[in-house]
Every structure is written in C-alpha cells, then in structure tokens.
Amino acid sequence: TKLVTDIICPFCGTLCDDIEVEVSDDGKQILKVMNACAIGAEKFLHAQSPDRIVRPRMKQEDGSWKEVTYDEAAQYTAKILCDAKKPLMYGWSSTSCEAQATGHMIAELVGGIVDNTATVCHGPSLIAVHDVGIPSCTLGEVKNRADRVIFWGCNPAHAHPRHMSRYSIFSRGFFTTKGSKSRKVIVVDPRPTDTASVADYHVQVEQGRDYELLDAMRVALQEGPLPETVAGVPKEKIYELARLLKSGRFVTIFFGMGVTHSLGKNHNIDIAIALTSDLNKYTKAAIIPMRGHYNVTGSGQVLGWQFGFPFCVDLSRGFARYNPGESSANDLLMRGEVDASFVIGSDPGSHFPFKSVKKIHDLPSVCIDPHMTPTVAVSKCHVPVALVGIEIGGSCYRMDNVPIESRKVVDPPAGMLTDGEFLELVLAEVKRIKGVA
Ligand code: SF4
C-alpha cells in the first residue's frame, strides 16, 4: 500500500489540509482515510461505492435512464443552453475554481444566469460585506491568537466537525498554548446545541431577535443603558459578555445561517460586522462566515474576478448585472423566469422549495454530479464526473478566503471525465452552435 499525505478534504468550508489516505499499490483503491471527520471520510470512501453511476444518462419518456456518451451529453447540454432565452446555471460550490471559470465562459456565450449556493446560505453576508466591508482574518490567526471565540447561529459540532479542534476551541497555537483553556467560548443560539455544550457561555437568544442582541452588545461595550432584558437575555449577562470580549487579546466571531437566514438577514450581518469594528477600539477583533460547501468561497472569488459580483450574476443582456432577489436561482425558478436548468456541484433538489424543484423537473435540464441526488432524479440528463479533491486536483478557497490546492488521490473509474473536461466539451459545442471561434 501507499500513503498519500497532505490532502485536503473536499467536503466543508474548513478544507482540512492534513488528511492522509492509504491507497492500494496500483493507485486505484482507497483503503483507509485518516484524520478526516466522519462526513469527510465518507466522501472519500464514496469514491469506491459499488453503486456509483459511471456514465452519462438521459431520462426516457417512461422515466427510466438510458446510457449515453459524454459527447452526446455535451451536445444535449449545449443545445438546451443555446436554445434557452434565460438559462439558469446554478451550483458551482463543490467543484474547482478552474471548472467554475470554464463554466462561466459558457454562461457568457449563452447569456445565462450564474448563481451559487450562497444564494441560500451566506448571500446575505456577501450583501452585508458590500454595505459595510469586513474586518476579517485567517483561521491560522484564530488558532494562534484568538482567546475569545463566539459562534453565533452556527453549530460546527455538526456542520464543520473539525473546525473546533483544528482552529477555534481546542487547538493549541503560538499564543494559545493551553488550547481550550486559553480561550473563552460563547455560543449564541436559541437551541442547546452540541457546540453550546462545550462552550463557556451559552446565550439563548430568542428566535429571530439576533439584531436586537447584537445592537445591545454594541451599547454594552460603551456601558450604555439597556432595558432589563433584550431578546430574552438579561442585561447583566449582556454587560458581562461585553466586558469579557473587551478583556480579550483577540476576538473572533464565527456566524452561520442562524443569523443569515433569520429575521433581518443581511442587516444582522451588517450589525455583527459593526460590533466587530466597535470591538477593535478596545482590542483586536475579526469576523468569519462559516461557509458550507468546500468551494463556495472559491465560486464567489471566481465570479468576482470574471464579472465583479460574487453570486446572482445575470448575463442575459450580454453584460453582468447583479440583483439578489431578482437574479437569484430560487426566486427565478419560483417565478418561472428561466427556461433551462443546468446544475453543477450542488443539490437544489434537497434545499430548494418544492415549487422550484418542480420547475427544474419541468424544464430541459442537466445535472453534473458524481452522486445520485434528488436533483439528478428530477433532471433530464445526468452527467457523473470524477470527484474533485479525490480523483482530480484543483484550486479551492477555504472559508477564510485562503486558496488551497486540492490533490488527486486515486484514478477515477475508467473512461470517466472530470467536470472541467466535460465543461470544455460543452464550451466547444456552444462555440460551434454560436459560430464563435
Ligand atoms: Fe472535511 Fe470539514 Fe470534516 Fe474537515 S471538518 S474533515 S473539511 S468535512
């Protein structure tokens, strides 16, 4: 057997880069995955799954699948995109930056809408960053320096299982040599989560009232007046927390969908960022969104380089426009404003409302995904591809915007293309149809 080291885990935005994998001598089989959490290890092991679909398929009239070649799948994909007035090209968060860049070239040629999974997770955070900027830092700085850590509306114990041990609670860094004993950890969540159970403080904010509590924290930093309770939290507790944060050397606020998708949305993040800026008058403070898919951050970066906006990019008029709410995938599907669906590296079938999923089912549609997902089940064409970070390398961005190169560990099944290769086929076909050199 061979040991492959320093691999990144292509599952969540923590992008752990210390994974080790034991592979068979012929380099074809993963035998053992070391250092990954249960969900990360499962992603690697799924590459070996005996029920893995290895060839593109088209859905037949009777609902059964018929195997087709990659060329035929690329021709179908190019045709539905070119025939459509406003094709939706959604997903992108579980593939490499290189594949994203190729896909965006196709979108530009066909006048599509390019949107990523931020539209249903950290889109409000991106809007807040446009409004007020963001004082942030890297996870390495958190590990080495942070002695006050807040998790607001997120539960890394379940969603990012190694985040706490590698960076934010238990890790020992240069100035945090005692690990969790070097830190005070605060969880703000209406529920008693598993992350809350390992924190020093659990602040049970009332559901949907995060804005008020964040505002009260800003007042408390200045020892200003507060009512007896704010959002269900007694004022003494709020003053205590404010003093605790001010007394730290380095504060980091991590936040998740508990604040981005509850009442207030992007305004919750505006004020969380404002609280972070206020804290910088007393100590050093930074704020980081807990990004979900392993390369959703990269999708925002690549869209940013190419079109100037991180999600919800509408190219239907031949130039980039950006108006979340108008040009966001779910809203477009709900309103029936798109006439073809192209999904890559995500699963709206699991996350979008029924009405949107039904729309994908009714439209000409293609889903590029190594796995069998609910989106695959409602699509007309399924293109299985090699797993990025396991069967092909590529650039990815961690949740703190640090780019990390993923590595190939084993060969993909014989004859299987990567998503980058498939997108190149589609791009060539689109150019042929459009008569572009
Ligand atoms: Fe993979 Fe995330 Fe688990 Fe790290 S925490 S091993 S990146 S799933």
Side-chain angles (χ1 to χ4, degrees), residues 9-16 19 35-37 39-40 159-163:
C9 167
F11 190 88
C12 84
T14 313
L15 226 56
C16 296
I19 311 300
N35 298 342
C37 68
I39 44 180
H160 303 79
R162 295 184 75 220
H163 189 282

Side-chain angles (χ1 to χ4, degrees), residues 6 38-39 119 147 207 241 255 278 289 310 344 400 411 419:
D6 303 318
I39 44 180
T119 202
D147 58 351
Q207 173 74 39
L241 289 174
F255 65 98
D278 288 355
I344 181 168
D400 54 351
D411 291 329
D419 37 15

Side-chain angles (χ1 to χ4, degrees), residues 118-134:
T119 202
V120 286
C121 62
H122 275 285
S125 313
L126 297 168
I127 294 169
V129 173
H130 299 322
D131 288 344
V132 290
I134 184 162

Side-chain angles (χ1 to χ4, degrees), residues 6 34 43 72 88 124 150 256:
D6 303 318
M34 284 155 286
K43 172 120 191 217
E72 287 166 332
L88 173 64
I150 305 182

